[in-house]
Amino acid sequence: MKGLDGVKNVVVIGLGMTGLSVVKHLLCLPQPLDIKVIDTRSTPPGQDQLPESVALCSGQWNMDWLLAADMIVASPGIALATPELVQAAEAGIEIVGDIELFARAVTKPVVAITGSNGKSTVTSLVGEMAKEAGINVGVGGNIGFAALDMLAQDHDLYVLELSSFQLETTSSLKLKAAVYLNLSEDHMDRYNGLEDYSQAKMRIFCHAELAVFNRDDLATRPVDFYGAMTSFGFDSEAYGLITVNDEEYLAVDQQPVMATSQIALVGRHNVANSLAALALADAAGIGHDAACRALQRYNGLAHRCQLVANYQDVRWVNDSKATNLASTLAALKGLNLSGKLHLLVGGDGKGADFSELKLVLANLNVQLYCYGRDGHHFASLVEAPLSVETMEQAMQIAADTAQAGDMVLLSPACASFDQYPNFMARGDAFVALANELQYKVAGAN
């Protein structure tokens, strides 16, 4: 394996799915390696799956192991600024992550996605486009499968979601195309400001044949990049939007590809995600016919603006993953509805200020349903809100009143812990009840 010449002692930091994938990968290499694992948790997840030949130090750091290593493979959750890693780096020990090991081993084309929001959707969407084209594709990284685990499947194309954490320890990943979707404040406890965070994400372009950036968020445009570049955005340039016979279309260089009304994903932000996915699909050799079939069929990841029912032109959309204000704002901005929006909000507000929603809601034909422990914090945002105790009660009322062209959207802007174990359980409850209630719509019309 290129890049491991002279390496004999490897220390893996952090167990779990990623750490186990690293250990498994290293054990399969032809060269013999002495592999040790350090996890500062007292009972690391996956400990029972660790081979007996691999020593484990749990509950603390082991500096003797670190300083004796030829290479350290650090979990994305461990910042390079951690004092123990700083000491190892100062001693001249190479520190990489699992994506860097993947980069040194992969022999097939790879495209990759980063950004503050929408990474998982675009990654999954490109994977679906590839499947529609009959390509044996592996989809993973920061979503789904660990990147190293996918190598054993010998896919013909890899689509990776990459977080800033993963990119910090990645230096030689060669990509057919890379996209940086957007930038907003996140992980400020790990980075020295927004620029530091963005620079970590910019590492995705280091060895990319094609860099794709967001024209509507120029912080995503690479600087000092000498390869090919293209972009996506809501004007008509490159991957953009045009109007044909009064209908909006996704377009490439002003040539129509598909009407945006045919995209199964909900929300204006997913129009942008679709354009980004189309750019990566073109770079990967996926034809527009296959890409459009995926766009028409793919209704999103579970709990992320996921269309879960559509009966007599009333759409029920599960956005339970919207556990904060920013996520709900993203779901609402640019909604294109012929009817009324029945919006379900509430739960555990975590002390947030929801006043920013007021201006967005003022521009929508909306009936607001406020439920749960902190539902009352939303009541002042609109005229005539409906306050109920539970999400189920809100859904019952929505089913009785929804008309053709309406949308029932769960995008609560709150955590679920007042009534559900997690946002997945909340979303599952919404899906189950939506599929029961959608038939009441027929009786109401």
Side-chain angles (χ1 to χ4, degrees):
M1 176 181 177
K2 57 186 178 181
L4 263 70
D5 293 343
V7 172
K8 295 181 180 179
N9 300 307
V10 180
V11 174
V12 179
I13 303 177
L15 209 47
M17 182 180 76
T18 299
L20 286 171
S21 75
V22 170
V23 170
K24 181 179 177 182
H25 174 74
L26 293 173
L27 287 172
C28 289
L29 296 179
Q31 66 195 89
L33 295 170
D34 181 2
I35 305 166
K36 296 181 175 66
V37 175
I38 297 173
D39 195 307
T40 57
R41 294 168 289 190
S42 57
T43 54
Q47 179 178 351
D48 57 333
Q49 301 174 51
L50 200 62
E52 291 184 4
S53 61
V54 177
L56 171 65
C57 173
S58 60
Q60 61 184 343
W61 288 94
N62 186 320
M63 290 307 302
D64 289 339
W65 285 8
L66 279 182
L67 295 176
D70 300 311
M71 172 184 281
I72 295 169
V73 185
S75 163
I78 309 297
L80 291 176
T82 302
E84 290 79 5
L85 290 188
V86 170
Q87 187 177 345
E90 290 174 346
I93 301 166
E94 183 180 22
I95 302 173
V96 302
D98 69 306
I99 302 301
E100 178 62 19
L101 293 181
F102 173 90
R104 298 182 188 188
V106 68
T107 58
K108 300 293 177 63
V110 186
V111 297
I113 299 94
T114 196
S116 298
N117 298 296
K119 296 187 298 295
S120 297
T121 295
V122 175
T123 303
S124 300
L125 184 50
V126 175
E128 292 302 312
M129 290 174 170
K131 291 174 187 176
E132 284 286 347
I135 296 171
N136 176 11
V137 62
V139 179
N142 195 47
I143 178 178
F145 296 102
L148 289 169
D149 284 345
M150 295 193 296
L151 287 175
Q153 305 302 315
D154 194 27
H155 295 290
D156 295 320
L157 173 69
Y158 295 91
V159 183
L160 299 183
E161 174 186 326
L162 297 179
S163 69
S164 59
F165 296 176
Q166 291 169 311
L167 287 165
E168 287 177 16
T169 52
T170 302
S171 58
S172 65
L173 181 61
K174 294 179 172 61
L175 300 169
K176 290 293 292 182
V179 64
Y180 185 170
L181 295 173
N182 46 57
L183 175 66
S184 60
E185 250 186 32
D186 203 359
H187 306 302
M188 291 298 101
D189 55 341
R190 176 148 167 169
Y191 294 104
N192 296 319
L194 193 61
E195 178 61 22
D196 188 33
Y197 170 50
S198 183
Q199 285 305 310
K201 289 189 171 297
M202 282 290 179
R203 292 173 65 89
I204 198 170
F205 293 133
C206 286
H207 301 287
E209 293 180 26
L210 175 69
V212 184
F213 66 92
N214 183 349
R215 289 193 302 280
D216 299 320
D217 188 348
L218 290 179
T220 65
R221 180 171 184 151
V223 178
D224 298 328
F225 179 79
Y226 301 102
M229 279 199 292
T230 191
S231 60
F232 67 96
F234 286 155
D235 57 24
S236 62
E237 300 302 312
Y239 291 84
L241 303 173
I242 63 171
T243 301
V244 180
N245 296 327
D246 295 325
E247 186 165 14
E248 185 181 69
Y249 277 76
L250 303 178
V252 180
D253 295 328
Q254 301 186 357
Q255 297 301 306
V257 175
M258 174 183 162
T260 58
S261 61
Q262 296 181 328
I263 298 172
L265 290 166
V266 175
R268 196 65 175 168
H269 60 301
N270 278 321
V271 174
N273 288 337
S274 298
L275 288 167
L278 193 59
L280 293 183
D282 279 349
I286 299 167
H288 285 177
D289 286 348
C292 289
R293 288 196 301 273
L295 285 167
Q296 291 165 345
R297 177 183 57 78
Y298 180 66
N299 62 9
L301 295 166
H303 315 300
R304 293 173 173 90
C305 280
Q306 177 193 23
L307 180 65
V308 296
N310 188 350
Y311 191 77
Q312 294 203 346
D313 200 26
V314 174
R315 290 178 289 169
W316 298 74
V317 178
N318 169 25
D319 192 32
S320 184
K321 182 69 163 61
T323 58
N324 56 45
L325 174 64
S327 296
T328 297
L329 285 171
L332 294 179
K333 288 180 178 177
L335 271 181
N336 185 16
L337 287 175
S338 60
K340 177 178 288 187
L341 175 66
H342 301 258
L343 177 62
L344 281 58
V345 294
D348 177 2
K350 299 175 288 186
D353 177 4
F354 301 107
S355 58
E356 193 176 344
L357 275 172
K358 188 169 186 175
L359 184 60
V360 176
L361 294 174
N363 294 316
L364 294 170
N365 178 10
V366 61
Q367 174 61 65
L368 194 66
Y369 300 79
C370 310
Y371 76 90
R373 186 176 71 197
D374 292 327
H376 61 281
H377 290 303
F378 297 87
S380 63
L381 301 179
V382 298
E383 293 184 9
L386 286 175
S387 295
V388 294
E389 290 296 320
T390 67
M391 180 184 74
E392 289 83 349
Q393 290 170 334
M395 293 176 71
Q396 292 277 357
I397 298 170
D400 287 337
T401 58
Q403 303 290 320
D406 288 3
M407 176 188 292
V408 183
L409 171 62
L410 170 67
S411 189
C414 293
S416 60
F417 303 124
D418 61 328
Q419 295 182 354
Y420 298 94
N422 49 53
F423 75 83
M424 294 88 76
R426 177 174 62 189
D428 289 341
F430 177 87
V431 173
L433 193 54
N435 281 290
E436 292 178 21
L437 291 174
Q438 62 176 324
Y439 299 105
K440 292 187 69 176
V441 175
N445 290 338

